[in-house]
Amino acid sequence: MSETNSAAETAAPHRYTAAMAADIEARWQDFWDAEGTYEAPNPTGDLAGDPELAAKPKKFIMDMFPYPSGAGLHVGHPLGYIATDVYARHQRMTGHNVLHTLGFDAFGLPAEQYAVQTGTHPRASTEANMENMKVQLRRLGLGHDNRRSFATIEAEYYKWTQWIFLQIFNSWYDAEADKARPIAELVEQFENGTRATPDGREWSGLSAAERADLLGQYRLAYASDAPVNWSPGLGTVLANEEVTADGRSERGNFPVFKAKLRQWNMRITAYADRLLDDLDGLDWPEAIKLQQRNWIGRSEGARVEFPVDTAGGITVFTTRQDTLFGATYMVLAPEHDLVERIIPAAWPEGTHPVWTGGHASPAEAVTAYRKQAAAKSDVERQAEAKDKTGVFTGAYATNPVSGEKVPVFIADYVLMGYGTGAIMAVPAHDARDFAFARAFELPMRCVVQPSDDRGTDPSTWDDAFGSYDAKLVNSANDEISLDGLGVVEAKARITEWLQEHGVGEGTVNFRLRDWLFSRQRYWGEPFPIVYDEEGIAHPLPESMLPLELPEVEDYSPRTFDPEDADTQPETPLSRNADWVNVTLDLGDGAGPRKYRRETNTMPNWAGSCWYELRYLDPTNDRQLVDPAIEQYWMGPREGQPTGGVDLYVGGAEHAVLHLLYARFWSKVLHDLGHISSAEPFHKLYNQGMIQAFVYRDARGIAVPAAEVEERDGVFYYEGEKVSRVLGKMGKSLKNAVTPDEICAEYGADTLRLYEMAMGPLDVSRPWDTRAVVGQYRLLQRLWRNVVDEETGEVTVVGTEPGEDTLRALHKAIDGVGQDLEGMRFNTAIAKITELNNHLTKAGGPLSRSVAERLVLLIAPLAPHIAEELWRRLGHTDSVVHQDFPVADPAYVVDETVTCVVQIKGKVRARLEISPSITDEELEALALADAAVVAALGGAGIRKVIVRAPKLVNIVPA
């Protein structure tokens, strides 16, 4: 401590300092914990409490689940947590029963990678990280109901994650009812014959394996052999959403390849329409809604069947069925199941040499090309590459409208992940098809009249012509003609024809794919599934839940050369034979039998798909959530037709992954009658990011930001010049500032105020440690306005304040209240600062009524100092549940406003008038004013323009 500071504190021993802030904050945090200040009562059950509080309007406020990182928090992390805390505190003070808590999303890859590196069990490192994070968060004074906190790695929690998986596994989507129903109802339909089996056999005539396979085609959770994103470097498969735009793993940045593996999937595609439609009723940022709509990717078109002599037919989905007459070849994705069935033993006579890739037979050509395509990511395959690649399968299909034989190719620009994995190629009117046709010397036919002067011979064109406004040409057979029709009418006409002839139908397609739900990891929820000796999957009965994660010696899946696509997953659980191979009685009448457990684990998204429900009823070991409790906190109500959390705050980076998955799980649980809310989160708010300057040396290596010196606008580290850019804050960038540092130097209330005052909550902003002191001084001035720094005595008096102070006070109350309700925390702080400055300049002791309302105004933002001052003002009850001040409207409106009177655009008078004056009254006052009369000099008046209460413009005759 400097001598100056030491002397100042001796002279003013009761000054608000960092040391005093630390003492105040620790004391009140202990008090809040001991008193259960933030405990929100449920209407019933174990957490029922004060019935008067439970009878108030409810507010359920949530932050996105934090992951307990070993690096701890930097000052960027608490931005959203502080914001929701401020909002929650204001809601309590405005008469609400507020549920606000925080748990931990603790399964996942980082802890497992740390375990692999150090030999530390993932649970040990994760729990240590959680304890550190809890200490850091507590220091911020967050008003959480700690009774409701949990971590996803607790068996009491993931028991219900597993239970939900079983509900999804034991359900199917009934398209007629437009909802999920128990799989037992589907079995009943097969048994009684109201639903036929695909081959017409009776249900009783199917083997156990055949029944399991058939039901797997309907279940909302199912295992299948399907193309997956395989990352050898991670040793696991990834969902589409976990693969970056350049075809690498989101975690670790490893190459990702296509492979075919048996994996668990969630049939989220069954809910595509509802996931789209219900977005309209949600109070979410439009940008997030747009991202979800684009990800779901609904498009209307037609399914068309192209017969193939050797294998039935190829089904394509197209949004431009009007161009069917222009389809001159077809392309299958290299992974398409039909490929093996349609390739002949030898090349057909007359096969163009360019089509064969130089191979002696179709089988050799296809095998070689498939290997080449597997080495590319989906993004690389979809890129507009200059050279198009592919190979002829040796098979021909028949265009159903023209009757022409068209060659069938495989090419990597067609993906299994969209449509049917097959396209009809219309090269004259599609850029990629045009380039492919040119490369392989394929025919092109113009069927959409060009609007320019290129003519109708595509062989003379430089590029494809695509338009939605043109007329159809060259599109007729003996039964139908589209010639001369516009696109919309032609699409309707050809769709009707396709349906009449049984070769197609109008349909809707989605970009959304089923959710890949398996991970070849240890640190995740075990699947409550076992396989019998025939390989049939059986769900564990509820009585066997939770299926706990076993101890293993080696936590890592087997990893491979990141570039080696010809590898297969090997999971950590598969190496624990005693856990994998078990004898169980599943209660299905079969008695004890030998089974093999599923050795994949669930993805880390599983635990965060439903955690909002656990917050409601965290001690319930009998059911997922008590229906009355769920209805109270999340049920549908006016303005919230699908129910859900009242406010959910988190980063925009979760626009698709977490939010889409959570919405899907909620809809399934709603359909099955377990919850009343069909949506998990009614209002979503995306906070911005706290950024920091990153300093790099000549090698591009980040250097410690705290040790950089600035001289004349140039930055130096250890005498060497360094560059500076604004970017993320993080330990690896050596620019992280911890909340602990700021709390130690200024106190938590100062940190809270600074983060809220930096700018609008939804905008990213740069951190500047030097600017923190501004909010510290605000709190010091506030303290001095109530407490004598020398004696520690409260200085307020009982007299009533003057008119100016009342007006300043009530304007602040009105503005701050509106700003806190609207989450405009930066402007709320500005108004409090303005009021506090007014009171400081006014001099003299504060009126008690003013001091108390000032403390209540700042209480949501700086709760510790507010609690301390509230107690010093003589109150024995906590400030947390006090009523927020209410403004007197008489003082909110300015007593008078200045009206400018202009003649020919020049100001001739200024009038002090009531802000509520009418246009007629103001006009009369202006025309009667002596200065105005003199300026007119007896001239007539052609026009008077009045804009009460601020302006009168007079136009002389």
Side-chain angles (χ1 to χ4, degrees):
M1 181 184 296
S2 70
E3 290 185 16
T4 304
N5 287 343
S6 178
E9 290 185 18
T10 301
H14 297 280
R15 175 171 294 172
Y16 183 82
T17 62
M20 179 182 281
D23 173 65
I24 289 172
E25 289 163 6
R27 278 193 290 106
W28 284 111
Q29 287 161 18
D30 289 342
F31 173 86
W32 294 330
D33 284 349
E35 295 295 315
T37 301
Y38 302 108
E39 292 178 359
N42 280 344
T44 186
D46 296 344
L47 299 188
D50 180 0
E52 189 175 331
L53 181 53
K56 291 183 176 183
K58 63 87 188 182
K59 280 287 181 180
F60 185 6
I61 299 165
M62 271 181 63
D63 301 277
M64 286 191 183
F65 241 178
Y67 187 87
S69 163
L73 298 177
H74 60 63
V75 291
H77 292 124
L79 178 67
Y81 306 148
I82 295 171
T84 53
D85 186 63
V86 173
Y87 183 76
R89 288 175 180 277
H90 180 250
Q91 292 299 306
R92 286 191 193 93
M93 296 177 76
T94 52
H96 295 85
N97 181 21
V98 177
L99 193 168
H100 189 213
T101 190
L102 195 70
F104 296 92
D105 189 12
F107 275 127
L109 195 55
E112 189 169 287
Q113 289 177 325
Y114 184 76
V116 171
Q117 293 164 9
T118 64
T120 307
H121 193 287
R123 180 176 294 280
S125 60
T126 301
E127 289 179 345
N129 294 343
M130 283 193 290
E131 288 307 310
N132 180 54
M133 192 169 176
K134 286 177 184 177
V135 171
Q136 289 187 295
L137 290 170
R138 185 179 189 271
R139 195 169 183 180
L140 299 173
L142 303 177
H144 293 151
D145 184 345
N146 292 323
R147 303 171 304 164
R148 299 174 183 267
S149 184
F150 55 81
T152 55
I153 59 175
E154 296 167 8
E156 298 82 4
Y157 179 80
Y158 70 73
K159 164 188 175 177
W160 294 106
T161 307
Q162 293 170 336
W163 181 88
I164 296 171
F165 173 83
L166 292 178
Q167 306 312 301
I168 299 173
F169 174 76
N170 285 319
S171 302
W172 63 293
Y173 200 83
D174 184 347
E176 292 182 8
D178 201 20
K179 61 181 289 189
R181 294 172 60 187
I183 201 76
E185 296 180 12
L186 180 66
V187 172
E188 185 180 352
Q189 291 179 13
F190 282 127
E191 286 178 337
N192 63 27
T194 55
R195 182 182 294 268
T197 61
D199 61 5
R201 286 188 291 161
E202 292 188 2
W203 179 256
S204 58
L206 302 181
S207 68
E210 288 173 325
R211 292 180 185 179
D213 287 344
L214 178 54
L215 293 179
Q217 296 172 31
Y218 290 85
R219 291 186 188 273
L220 289 179
Y222 65 95
S224 69
D225 293 314
V228 295
N229 301 304
W230 165 235
S231 175
L234 282 176
T236 190
V237 299
L238 302 169
N240 289 339
E241 298 87 346
E242 294 172 306
V243 182
T244 64
D246 55 356
R248 302 178 78 86
S249 63
E250 190 176 50
R251 288 197 180 275
N253 198 36
F254 290 108
V256 176
F257 304 96
K258 283 295 180 187
K260 194 167 262 192
L261 299 169
R262 190 158 188 83
Q263 302 288 311
W264 283 99
N265 297 274
M266 293 276 180
R267 207 179 299 275
I268 191 173
T269 49
Y271 283 82
D273 271 321
R274 285 171 60 185
L275 288 168
L276 268 179
D277 295 343
D278 286 353
L279 282 171
D280 293 338
L282 299 181
D283 185 3
W284 285 18
E286 282 304 317
I288 301 296
K289 289 185 179 183
L290 180 61
Q291 286 184 66
Q292 290 223 349
R293 289 188 180 108
N294 289 342
W295 190 263
I296 295 167
R298 187 182 194 275
S299 53
E300 294 186 16
R303 286 185 182 272
V304 185
E305 192 84 6
F306 282 71
V308 179
D309 294 339
T310 55
I314 299 172
T315 303
V316 302
F317 170 80
T318 177
T319 58
R320 289 299 302 269
Q321 59 267 39
D322 55 299
T323 64
L324 257 169
F325 284 94
T328 57
Y329 67 97
M330 300 191 74
V331 184
L332 301 178
E335 307 87 354
H336 203 294
D337 289 339
L338 270 178
V339 174
E340 287 92 346
R341 303 213 300 269
I342 65 173
I343 53 175
W347 294 117
E349 187 176 344
T351 296
H352 196 311
V354 176
W355 298 1
T356 67
H359 294 281
S361 70
E364 290 177 29
V366 165
T367 300
Y369 188 78
R370 278 180 153 178
K371 189 169 185 178
Q372 174 187 330
K376 293 183 181 180
S377 70
D378 283 0
V379 174
E380 290 173 315
R381 288 171 57 172
Q382 288 181 295
E384 294 295 333
K386 183 178 180 182
D387 298 320
K388 293 295 177 189
T389 65
V391 71
F392 180 41
T393 63
Y396 285 84
T398 302
N399 184 320
V401 294
S402 68
E404 295 176 355
K405 294 287 187 182
V406 295
V408 181
F409 284 74
I410 60 172
D412 60 14
Y413 77 92
V414 176
L415 305 176
M416 280 304 298
Y418 182 77
T420 63
I423 66 162
M424 62 174 210
V426 185
H429 308 294
D430 179 273
R432 291 188 305 172
D433 295 348
F434 185 92
F436 191 91
R438 277 285 167 87
F440 289 88
E441 301 178 19
L442 288 157
M444 293 188 264
R445 179 179 298 113
C446 173
V447 292
V448 178
Q449 180 69 51
S451 55
D452 51 26
D453 58 1
R454 67 176 67 197
T456 57
D457 180 3
S459 66
T460 65
W461 296 356
D462 293 326
D463 54 17
F465 172 79
S467 174
Y468 221 79
D469 300 325
K471 300 291 184 182
L472 274 294
V473 295
N474 301 324
S475 298
N477 61 27
D478 292 342
E479 299 178 11
I480 185 173
S481 174
L482 306 180
D483 292 346
L485 299 180
V487 170
V488 174
E489 188 180 356
K491 286 172 74 170
R493 183 80 62 86
I494 195 65
T495 300
E496 183 181 344
W497 187 89
L498 290 168
Q499 290 177 178
E500 288 174 355
H501 288 74
V503 291
E505 62 179 350
T507 189
V508 174
N509 197 59
F510 295 91
R511 178 179 180 269
L512 181 68
R513 299 294 92 197
D514 280 345
W515 173 17
L516 178 68
F517 201 69
S518 295
R519 296 295 181 275
Q520 291 66 47
R521 289 280 164 197
Y522 168 69
W523 195 233
E525 298 92 340
F527 282 92
I529 293 289
V530 292
Y531 299 92
D532 63 24
E533 292 176 318
E534 292 183 67
I536 298 172
H538 297 266
L540 292 181
E542 187 177 331
S543 61
M544 290 186 181
L545 302 182
L547 172 60
E548 297 196 36
L549 199 61
E551 297 296 323
V552 298
E553 293 182 4
D554 183 1
Y555 310 116
S556 60
R558 185 180 176 192
T559 57
F560 305 87
D561 178 343
E563 303 290 344
D564 187 358
D566 296 325
T567 47
Q568 290 279 318
E570 180 187 295
T571 70
L573 291 181
S574 66
R575 297 192 285 265
N576 189 333
D578 291 340
W579 183 81
V580 173
N581 301 303
V582 291
T583 298
L584 300 172
D585 184 346
L586 300 182
D588 54 3
R593 296 175 63 190
K594 290 182 178 180
Y595 295 97
R596 176 178 53 83
R597 295 195 191 279
E598 172 62 68
T599 58
N600 288 312
T601 53
M602 298 186 199
N604 64 303
W605 307 107
S608 59
C609 273
W610 72 282
Y611 70 119
E612 71 284 353
L613 297 172
R614 191 63 176 174
Y615 283 156
L616 307 182
D617 199 10
T619 61
N620 196 334
D621 61 359
R622 303 170 304 282
Q623 57 191 142
L624 180 74
V625 60
D626 183 305
I629 293 172
E630 188 272 337
Q631 174 71 47
Y632 172 84
W633 288 110
M634 289 184 63
R637 63 203 65 219
E638 187 176 352
Q640 299 182 14
T642 50
V645 173
D646 296 291
L647 175 66
Y648 193 38
V649 174
E653 66 271 17
H654 296 291
V656 173
L657 288 167
H658 158 61
L659 291 173
L660 198 62
Y661 296 159
R663 295 181 64 214
F664 166 55
W665 277 37
S666 284
K667 291 186 183 304
V668 177
L669 291 171
H670 171 75
D671 286 356
L672 298 176
H674 298 300
I675 59 176
S676 64
S677 49
E679 285 284 342
F681 314 115
H682 172 69
K683 180 177 176 64
L684 175 69
Y685 191 100
N686 297 132
Q687 86 272 19
M689 182 187 299
I690 289 183
Q691 299 171 302
F693 287 111
V694 183
Y695 299 89
R696 297 185 184 275
D697 61 20
R699 302 166 298 164
I701 305 298
V703 302
E707 299 174 32
V708 172
E709 297 178 4
E710 180 181 357
R711 297 197 294 270
D712 299 324
V714 180
F715 302 94
Y716 297 88
Y717 172 69
E718 295 183 344
E720 299 293 326
K721 192 183 294 186
V722 293
S723 64
R724 183 181 83 160
V725 294
L726 190 62
K728 287 186 177 182
M729 181 180 285
K731 190 175 180 181
S732 64
L733 297 172
K734 299 182 181 178
N735 63 354
V737 178
T738 70
D740 305 37
E741 296 172 55
I742 304 301
C743 289
E745 190 166 356
Y746 299 107
D749 280 339
T750 295
L751 172 63
R752 291 169 60 101
L753 282 173
Y754 176 64
E755 295 217 358
M756 294 298 96
M758 291 171 76
L761 182 61
D762 58 350
V763 175
S764 294
R765 71 294 301 270
W767 176 268
D768 183 359
T769 298
R770 295 169 299 180
V772 177
V773 71
Q775 300 307 318
Y776 181 54
R777 288 173 181 152
L778 166 62
L779 294 179
Q780 288 183 315
R781 288 192 293 270
L782 170 70
W783 181 265
R784 278 197 300 271
N785 276 330
V786 180
V787 176
D788 187 293
E789 292 184 333
E790 293 184 13
T791 67
E793 296 297 318
V794 170
T795 59
V796 301
V797 295
T799 56
E800 285 303 305
E803 182 83 7
D804 287 349
T805 294
L806 281 174
R807 197 165 294 285
L809 173 66
H810 286 279
K811 280 188 174 183
I813 290 171
D814 181 60
V816 171
Q818 291 185 49
D819 286 345
L820 292 178
E821 182 67 37
M823 301 180 72
R824 297 183 295 273
F825 304 126
N826 58 319
T827 55
I829 293 169
K831 291 179 175 71
I832 291 172
T833 303
E834 184 181 354
L835 172 63
N836 197 52
N837 290 343
H838 169 87
L839 298 174
T840 302
K841 289 175 184 175
L846 291 189
S847 161
R848 170 174 287 277
S849 65
V850 173
E852 290 185 346
R853 282 178 281 188
L854 175 62
V855 169
L856 293 171
L857 277 184
I858 205 167
L861 291 148
H864 306 93
I865 194 173
E867 194 77 89
E868 180 72 13
L869 291 174
W870 190 248
R871 182 59 60 95
R872 290 187 181 223
L873 284 165
H875 300 281
T876 57
D877 48 355
S878 171
V879 77
V880 170
H881 291 285
Q882 299 306 308
D883 290 339
F884 197 78
V886 177
D888 184 338
Y891 291 110
V892 172
V893 178
D894 287 327
E895 192 171 11
T896 63
V897 295
T898 301
C899 174
V900 173
V901 182
Q902 295 179 336
I903 300 175
K904 290 186 177 180
K906 290 186 178 181
V907 177
R908 297 297 186 180
R910 286 185 171 86
L911 309 176
E912 294 299 317
I913 47 91
S914 166
S916 59
I917 195 169
T918 66
D919 285 358
E920 293 77 12
E921 291 169 336
L922 183 55
E923 180 178 341
L925 275 176
L927 293 177
D929 184 82
V932 172
V933 171
L936 285 170
I941 297 171
R942 183 158 60 90
K943 193 177 198 181
V944 179
I945 302 166
V946 182
R947 297 287 183 267
K950 295 293 183 70
L951 176 68
V952 176
N953 196 2
I954 301 171
V955 182

